[in-house]
Amino acid sequence: MLKLSSLSLAVLALCTLPACTTPGAAAGAVSSTPPVAVAPAAAPAPALAAARAASAFTFDRSGEDLSVRPQDDLFRAANGGWLKDTPIPADKSAYGNFSIMSDRADARVHTLVEELSKGHYPDGSNEQKIAAYFRAFTDEAAMDKAGKAPLQPLLAQVQQLRKPADVTRYMGRMQGVLSLPLALDVQPDQKAPTMNLPLTWQGGLGLPNREYYLSKDPRMAQARAAYLSYLQTLFRLDGDRKHAARSARDVLMFETRLAKAQWTEVANRDAQKTWNPMTRAQLAAKAPGLDWQAFFAAAEMSALQRLNVSQPDYAQAVAKAVHEVPVATWKLYFRARVMDANANLLAKPWRDAYFAFHDKALSGSEQPRARWQQGIDALDGALGEAVGQQYVARYFPADHKARMQVLVANLLKAYGDSIDGLTWMSPATKVKAREKLSKYATKIGYPDKWRDYGGLTVKDGDPVGNAERAGHFDFKRVAAKLGQPVDRSEWLMTPQTVNAYYNPAMNEIVFPAAILEPPFFDMAADDAANYGAIGAIIGHEISHGFDDQGSQYDGDGKLDNWWTPEDAKAFAALGQRLVAQFAGYEALPGHKVNGQLTLGENIADLSGLQIAYKAWKLSLNGATPPVINGLTGEQRFFYSFAHAWRSKYREELQLRLLTADPHSPPEFRANGTVMNHDGFEAAFGLKPGDKMYKAPQDRIRIW
């Protein structure tokens, strides 16, 4: 099941990697190499030192590489021992703190689900639905027995298509269930953010993005070959042995046509370029060849009169394809999409084919994840808030939320002070920036209002049907927003998600319960550690409201220019310096970071760390923090920041991320950010000649 999510369109998340949401086995190692040389610390204030000496605060330095100087490579000084000694688990394409924390959350959810499975709950209750969905998803023996039979009703719908009008209606009817060339969503109107507005978005590719179809890179060619093999296997498993190879080639050629018309990842980040409001009549005139009225009616959006066409020329290309491409080719394509969407819910040969392509060829995993772990992910997509309600009742204490509220308040105050002190921004624009900051909304832990799953039917022993019904159910919820006021209480992540986000249309920062855990947030840690980790994460999300795209929205979530021309020019110039810095980093041989694609996240990392440091300093009220486990408070702050990005990736996944992910690879997020921080130089006594040293006049300071 694929769900078009607002997260993919407008929300700026902390992390979009598989490691943020997939589980893995916890691991870590203590290095036995010589101690690192650090700058001498100032003596702590006697009264504070005495108080801290009696405290239980410690600082975990396991996993560091003490042979590496932080002055030369903070990321490896903080994480090198762990990187050397910790293999990526065979069932993973990435591993690190995000995946370790996700493991913890998944194990907790698994315990809850197992308990629900043993209980007796009324039919139609959330508890019954959670247990039945999970049982059906994890019963591989039943899947093996059923073979491909559960797929036949879905494939029969495809076989009934006879003319272009049928293709149009099918694309509308299967919104939320399949990955389709043209996807629909409903989000706040960019110019009137209190009301919802539908939009179109490009989609429908079996490979990760357009680069995989068009690039001549040998790694991309290898991925295309793997995809072609996968499609052939699917067609053969469905009984099309004679024509499987030709059918697969036709699907790949059709998707290549789509890919050529699609926008790049950089273009899709641009809030102005992707804002193209028009009436339904204007769309029909601009993109003939597709019966738009029939398309919207099939998607239960008959009342639609106005929408945002995010990529207008791509919408034209899809409409043209409906008119020009033979229906027989469309049917092959839809069969492929149906089989791909459900292969992991069918008999073992199907599941094996799914793993070989999605997890091994595209991500580098050596074996499938445990079925129960896959089931937890599936539950999150289908019944996420129902599961989340159970999760927070057991695993999110009230004191966690209270301390987070204090941290957020301190970060917002520090951000306001930082705006006041900017030298590159005029007083007039500072007033507007402070106004936007004053309107930030904060959501911590879980929603105040839980989603109602009363209309979703879940059946034991029907994993394919459950996934299809969940997709239809969720899209129906989305379609019902059409023409309605925006519900500002809605969450776009579940409480059990290890991530965080900023939503520019809501001007809100959101921190699910599962990210408010060690090592990011530890009630037993001192403030230097917490501000360096969760504080920088909070600052990161706040800063998204002031990155190259978020800064185009005002405090009410309206896409509106509140900058003077001179200030906008100065801000853009600072951004281009950051683009150039990160474009110089080579993550794989021949593949450098896309500085323009990652600009927003790099601004958020840079500014978030600066603000977290200022907020921590403010929280000290002039006191000197103690030395703990050989590190000053300042050093612990930066080590904690580097620890947060402790992770490693398989090459296949790294390649994929370099083409599509707006986040820089972790080592560059850590090192590239702190190099611009004056406090980092002071904490470790950097000097010219150190590899991490950057001359003061060259450091990039934005917020």
Side-chain angles (χ1 to χ4, degrees):
M1 179 185 72
L2 176 135
K3 197 166 54 170
L4 179 67
S5 166
S6 300
L7 298 174
S8 65
L9 309 184
V11 173
L12 303 161
L14 174 72
C15 180
T16 60
L17 316 185
C20 294
T21 54
T22 57
V30 179
S31 174
S32 58
T33 48
V36 64
V38 296
L48 181 62
R52 295 295 193 183
S55 76
F57 287 151
T58 61
F59 187 77
D60 183 9
R61 300 190 64 180
S62 63
E64 296 177 12
D65 186 343
L66 302 182
S67 69
V68 178
R69 301 169 66 244
Q71 295 93 333
D72 293 326
D73 189 335
L74 177 66
F75 181 74
R76 280 173 177 76
N79 304 308
W82 183 90
L83 292 169
K84 292 174 185 175
D85 298 337
T86 307
I88 299 176
D91 64 345
K92 294 205 173 0
S93 54
Y95 194 58
N97 278 334
F98 277 98
S99 45
I100 290 169
M101 293 174 70
S102 293
D103 267 358
R104 182 191 306 149
D106 283 352
R108 290 170 173 175
V109 173
H110 189 209
T111 298
L112 290 171
V113 172
E114 288 294 315
E115 291 177 3
L116 293 179
S117 295
K118 295 173 183 175
H120 299 283
Y121 299 97
D123 287 346
S125 65
N126 281 351
E127 292 85 355
Q128 177 266 325
K129 292 175 182 179
I130 291 169
Y133 200 100
F134 184 77
R135 277 195 301 266
F137 188 96
T138 54
D139 191 348
E140 293 178 290
M143 293 176 193
D144 293 340
K145 184 176 181 180
K148 68 174 185 179
L151 203 59
Q152 298 315 300
L154 287 167
L155 292 176
Q157 294 179 42
V158 175
Q159 289 304 112
Q160 292 170 5
L161 306 181
R162 296 286 183 268
K163 52 188 183 296
D166 297 337
V167 170
T168 297
R169 284 189 288 269
Y170 184 82
M171 277 200 295
R173 188 169 66 251
M174 298 305 284
Q175 291 291 318
V177 179
L178 298 177
S179 172
L180 297 163
L182 205 61
L184 291 170
D185 197 10
V186 178
Q187 295 184 11
D189 187 322
Q190 302 256 51
K191 293 294 185 178
T194 61
M195 294 297 294
N196 282 307
L197 184 73
L199 60 82
T200 64
W201 196 264
Q202 66 186 32
L205 303 181
L207 286 162
N209 58 42
R210 71 189 302 273
E211 299 304 317
Y212 276 76
Y213 293 85
L214 308 180
S215 173
K216 296 180 180 179
D217 184 282
R219 296 182 182 91
M220 298 295 194
Q222 187 176 355
R224 286 194 294 273
Y227 182 46
L228 190 64
S229 175
Y230 173 56
L231 289 172
Q232 291 175 9
T233 299
L234 293 181
F235 282 112
R236 282 197 300 269
L237 287 171
D238 190 40
D240 186 12
R241 296 184 178 277
K242 183 177 180 180
H243 303 295
R246 186 178 67 191
S247 297
R249 285 195 301 271
D250 287 349
V251 170
L252 182 60
M253 288 178 61
F254 175 73
E255 291 184 11
T256 302
R257 172 177 175 151
L258 294 178
K260 288 178 179 177
Q262 290 194 356
W263 288 20
T264 66
E265 302 290 350
V266 171
N268 283 330
R269 283 194 67 245
D270 193 313
Q272 297 290 343
K273 286 183 179 178
T274 55
W275 172 242
N276 303 288
M278 58 185 75
T279 65
R280 192 169 71 184
Q282 288 171 327
L283 173 60
K286 189 176 185 67
L290 188 152
D291 185 341
W292 291 99
Q293 182 174 349
F295 175 64
F296 294 129
E300 299 188 44
M301 289 188 178
S302 295
L304 183 153
Q305 295 299 324
R306 177 174 171 270
L307 76 164
N308 177 31
V309 183
S310 300
Q311 299 92 5
D313 52 354
Y314 175 72
Q316 288 177 321
V318 172
K320 189 176 182 181
V322 169
H323 178 69
E324 292 182 351
V325 174
V327 173
T329 301
W330 276 101
K331 289 169 70 172
L332 286 174
Y333 167 74
F334 287 140
R335 279 179 65 194
R337 296 278 56 80
V338 168
M339 292 187 291
D340 178 44
N342 294 280
N344 200 34
L345 302 174
L346 299 171
K348 191 174 187 303
W350 294 82
R351 299 196 303 271
D352 288 346
Y354 183 92
F355 165 77
F357 172 63
H358 286 283
D359 296 325
K360 188 172 184 179
L362 291 184
S363 300
S365 298
E366 297 171 357
Q367 67 184 43
R369 286 183 296 145
R371 191 68 186 180
W372 72 263
Q373 292 178 312
Q374 298 178 49
I376 297 304
D377 279 355
L379 269 178
D380 195 65
L383 289 148
E385 286 197 13
V387 174
Q389 193 169 4
Q390 300 275 342
Y391 182 93
V392 299
R394 187 176 301 192
Y395 298 115
F396 190 61
D399 58 351
H400 282 50
K401 186 166 186 172
R403 190 165 176 191
M404 267 293 290
Q405 288 169 330
V406 172
L407 285 168
V408 171
N410 288 344
L411 266 293
L412 288 169
K413 182 181 185 306
Y415 216 106
D417 293 346
S418 184
I419 290 172
D420 291 341
L422 293 176
T423 58
W424 58 269
M425 180 179 279
S426 68
T429 306
K430 286 181 182 180
V431 170
K432 293 290 188 180
R434 286 297 300 257
E435 179 185 345
K436 176 171 183 175
L437 188 69
S438 72
K439 294 183 177 182
Y440 265 54
T442 303
K443 295 176 179 176
I444 298 172
Y446 54 90
D448 294 325
K449 181 175 67 176
W450 295 101
R451 190 169 295 177
D452 181 4
Y453 293 94
L456 174 61
T457 299
V458 179
K459 298 178 181 178
D460 270 299
D462 188 13
V464 171
N466 288 340
E468 181 191 5
R469 286 187 293 273
H472 282 305
F473 170 80
D474 192 68
F475 186 77
K476 187 174 183 178
R477 178 188 63 82
V478 170
K481 299 179 186 179
L482 182 64
Q484 298 299 310
V486 171
D487 180 3
R488 299 190 67 86
S489 70
E490 184 179 16
W491 279 54
L492 302 177
M493 283 181 182
T494 62
Q496 60 273 26
T497 300
V498 181
N499 212 333
Y501 68 89
Y502 169 76
N503 185 345
M506 300 279 203
N507 195 29
E508 65 181 7
I509 48 177
V510 185
F511 305 97
I515 200 171
L516 307 179
E517 297 267 0
F520 294 160
F521 177 61
D522 190 347
M523 292 291 286
D526 81 309
D527 280 346
N530 275 328
Y531 274 93
I534 196 67
I537 289 172
I538 297 168
H540 174 103
E541 300 308 339
I542 294 173
S543 299
H544 268 312
F546 298 94
D547 70 16
D548 64 312
Q549 297 303 314
S551 61
Q552 299 183 51
Y553 296 80
D554 66 15
D556 298 317
K558 181 180 179 182
L559 187 62
D560 190 37
N561 181 21
W562 47 270
W563 295 73
T564 66
E566 296 77 16
D567 290 336
K569 184 177 180 180
F571 179 57
L574 287 168
Q576 286 309 301
R577 289 176 61 192
L578 204 59
V579 168
Q581 177 187 334
F582 279 82
Y585 296 138
E586 189 172 54
L588 288 174
H591 286 270
K592 291 188 175 181
V593 174
N594 186 329
Q596 197 65 52
L597 174 62
T598 59
L599 176 58
E601 297 297 334
N602 293 334
I603 290 175
D605 282 341
L606 175 67
S607 303
L609 185 67
Q610 295 276 7
I611 300 307
Y613 190 78
K614 292 176 182 178
W616 171 60
K617 287 290 190 179
L618 288 172
S619 75
L620 294 174
N621 293 315
T624 302
V627 174
I628 298 176
N629 204 2
L631 296 176
T632 68
E634 289 77 7
Q635 291 164 350
R636 290 195 304 281
F637 176 90
F638 290 107
Y639 264 81
S640 290
F641 178 71
H643 287 163
W645 301 116
R646 178 177 290 178
S647 51
K648 57 199 304 186
Y649 304 90
R650 298 190 191 279
E651 184 175 294
E652 294 87 345
L653 177 62
Q654 187 69 85
L655 175 67
R656 196 168 131 199
L657 297 176
L658 287 170
T659 69
D661 188 11
H663 304 81
S664 297
E667 67 174 294
F668 305 130
R669 295 185 76 169
N671 287 347
T673 301
V674 300
M675 288 177 69
N676 291 298
H677 201 297
D678 297 337
F680 175 69
E681 177 194 20
F684 294 98
L686 268 73
K687 58 185 182 300
D690 293 334
K691 294 179 181 178
M692 292 284 292
Y693 179 79
K694 197 173 187 180
Q697 68 271 19
D698 295 331
R699 292 174 199 156
I700 304 168
R701 306 172 184 88
I702 300 181
W703 295 100

